[in-house]
Amino acid sequence: MFQQQEKYMQRCLQLAKLGAGFVAPNPMVGAVLVFEDKIIGEGYHKIYGQAHAEVNCIASVKSSDRHLISISTLYVSLEPCAHYGKTPPCTNLIIENKIPKVIIGCQDPFTRVNGKGIEKLNAAGIEVIVGVLEKECIELNKRFFIFFQKQRPFIILKWAQTSDKKIASNNEARLLISNLFTNRLVHKWRASESAMLVGTNTVIKDDPFLTNLLWTGKNPIRLIIDKNLKIPPGAHVFNNDAPVIVFNYHRTTIRSDSVLSNKIFYFKIKEDESLIAQIYHACFDLKIQSILVEGGATLLQSLIDEKLYDEIAVITNKEMFIGDGLSAPELNNVSLIRSFSLLNDNINLFL
């Protein structure tokens, strides 16, 4: 029986992943409806603000099978919601359809759910089982879990380095380290995160767009640390491809309840408080659930030293050696979780 439950929960996870890059700050969720070891309906949360996985799953059941809904088992990778948000509670829909049994991957950490969905289903006489492939279900939504459990965004540090561990040359010329295939992978990473963060020097020296031009999906919000507003107004980061938030000492044009659009915002930070803590707190208030930090060396090293990150991605061009240059950040007490290559680039992922 447990193997059967894992099989259908695995299908929930497969479906949930289809929502990657489109549902944040909501979690990725998949659901399947099973009658006598046969899936009669399935769905996933497709777009933030639209129907949840359970709704799409039940709606997908063919008219010829709808009489089976009330004698089927619903599998869902995350606890169904029990509150009104942008959509009605999924628990209400489950109860209305008289589904007798619900198998849940993991409990929702969001305070307005967090066990309340399970309680509501139990109160309606529905059998509820929780914890099937729980580790995998939490891993899928690790950004969502970190966001609510630690009240800060999920942080990924990323840089590219030469074989002799340099991330930039000593002259003004931009050093192109990673190859085209790796660049596409990085843009895929960007499309999967809510925002990306860089410092003043990175923008002034490289004049990057900070978008996912080489991949599909929504551009991340561009977060820039520019304490004294040195970046020229004509910089590429100030185009209309994605919102920009500039963290600085002088001005503010943003509130924690602002709705971000394709505009430039300024967030005033305090000189006598931790810069990173202020950025993380602001991002939590703005529901920015994850950040890809792409430089420069000083910012990356400070986050490493203070252990204010969740994952690190290091791209090393095995064939490039430049001698003199800006040294890459130094890793401290990290664990390698994955390593692979794309042509001459080696990609290492650390915790």
Side-chain angles (χ1 to χ4, degrees):
M1 176 62 71
F2 191 68
Q3 287 183 337
Q4 183 185 51
Q5 292 176 354
E6 287 188 340
K7 177 178 71 173
Y8 291 120
M9 191 58 67
Q10 189 63 53
R11 178 56 180 161
C12 289
L13 291 170
Q14 290 175 343
L15 290 165
K17 291 175 184 177
L18 298 176
F22 299 98
V23 301
N26 281 355
M28 295 174 280
V29 184
V32 297
L33 192 63
V34 179
F35 174 74
E36 292 186 348
D37 205 21
K38 177 185 176 183
I39 294 177
I40 63 170
E42 60 182 29
Y44 65 97
H45 186 28
K46 296 181 179 180
I47 299 175
Y48 173 68
Q50 296 188 13
H52 288 188
E54 300 92 326
V55 176
N56 290 328
C57 175
I58 293 171
S60 75
V61 179
K62 295 185 296 186
S63 56
S64 59
D65 287 336
R66 296 200 69 82
H67 67 287
L68 300 174
I69 294 176
S70 62
I71 51 175
S72 297
T73 298
L74 177 68
Y75 290 79
V76 60
S77 56
L78 187 70
E79 177 183 6
C81 62
H83 67 289
Y84 283 89
K86 290 186 178 293
T87 60
C90 292
T91 48
N92 288 9
L93 181 66
I94 295 168
I95 293 168
E96 289 166 5
N97 280 273
K98 300 179 179 179
I99 296 173
K101 185 174 183 178
V102 178
I103 298 177
I104 298 169
C106 62
Q107 192 167 312
D108 191 327
F110 180 42
T111 52
R112 296 186 67 186
V113 185
N114 200 10
K116 297 179 180 68
I118 295 168
E119 290 176 6
K120 192 169 184 177
L121 294 176
N122 280 325
I126 295 172
E127 180 185 356
V128 179
I129 297 174
V130 184
V132 176
L133 294 185
E134 182 177 36
K135 181 179 178 181
E136 291 83 350
C137 290
I138 292 173
E139 174 66 19
L140 174 68
N141 282 306
K142 55 190 175 184
R143 291 158 179 78
F144 183 75
F145 275 80
I146 288 290
F147 187 74
F148 285 106
Q149 290 174 342
K150 297 189 176 183
Q151 297 195 340
R152 65 160 175 80
F154 186 92
I155 305 299
I156 304 167
L157 311 184
K158 169 262 166 184
W159 69 85
Q161 62 185 23
T162 61
S163 61
D164 55 337
K165 296 186 178 181
K166 299 295 190 298
I167 63 172
S169 60
N170 283 333
N171 55 46
E172 293 301 315
R174 186 176 182 182
L175 182 63
L176 301 176
I177 297 175
S178 51
N179 64 54
L180 180 60
F181 292 98
T182 306
N183 288 342
R184 286 183 181 274
L185 174 63
V186 170
H187 283 226
K188 180 182 179 181
W189 291 344
R190 290 180 179 180
S192 300
E193 308 307 333
S194 301
M196 56 185 302
L197 174 66
V198 298
T200 308
N201 291 337
T202 297
V203 177
I204 290 177
K205 182 174 181 179
D206 296 340
D207 195 19
F209 286 90
L210 301 183
T211 61
N212 52 298
L213 181 65
L214 301 177
W215 200 259
T216 58
K218 186 178 180 181
N219 287 318
I221 296 168
R222 296 172 288 193
L223 309 177
I224 301 171
I225 300 172
D226 187 14
K227 297 176 183 178
N228 293 303
L229 301 177
K230 294 180 178 179
I231 298 172
H236 289 144
V237 292
F238 295 133
N239 65 19
N240 291 321
D241 291 343
V244 180
I245 302 176
V246 181
F247 294 93
N248 70 98
Y249 289 146
H250 305 285
R251 58 185 295 211
T252 185
T253 59
I254 192 169
R255 303 185 314 276
S256 61
D257 59 349
S258 296
V259 177
L260 295 176
S261 58
N262 283 5
K263 296 179 180 179
I264 302 170
F265 299 91
Y266 293 86
F267 192 99
K268 189 174 181 179
I269 52 178
K270 300 176 181 178
E271 295 188 47
D272 58 347
E273 294 184 14
S274 166
L275 169 63
I276 298 302
Q278 291 181 78
I279 292 174
Y280 285 4
H281 183 73
C283 289
F284 181 78
D285 286 345
L286 291 165
K287 297 181 174 59
I288 295 174
Q289 199 173 93
S290 62
I291 301 174
L292 180 65
V293 184
E294 291 206 13
T298 302
L299 173 61
L300 289 165
Q301 192 65 61
S302 67
L303 293 173
I304 293 170
D305 293 343
E306 295 180 48
K307 300 188 183 302
L308 293 174
Y309 66 88
D310 297 288
E311 292 182 1
I312 299 176
V314 181
I315 299 163
T316 303
N317 184 326
K318 297 175 289 186
E319 299 175 357
M320 182 180 291
F321 182 95
I322 66 168
D324 292 334
L326 179 62
S327 296
E330 295 183 6
L331 296 173
N332 301 318
N333 299 319
V334 296
S335 299
L336 180 65
I337 56 172
R338 189 184 175 200
S339 182
F340 61 97
S341 295
L342 287 174
L343 298 180
N344 57 312
D345 289 338
N346 188 59
I347 296 97
N348 288 324
L349 305 179
F350 302 92
L351 287 178

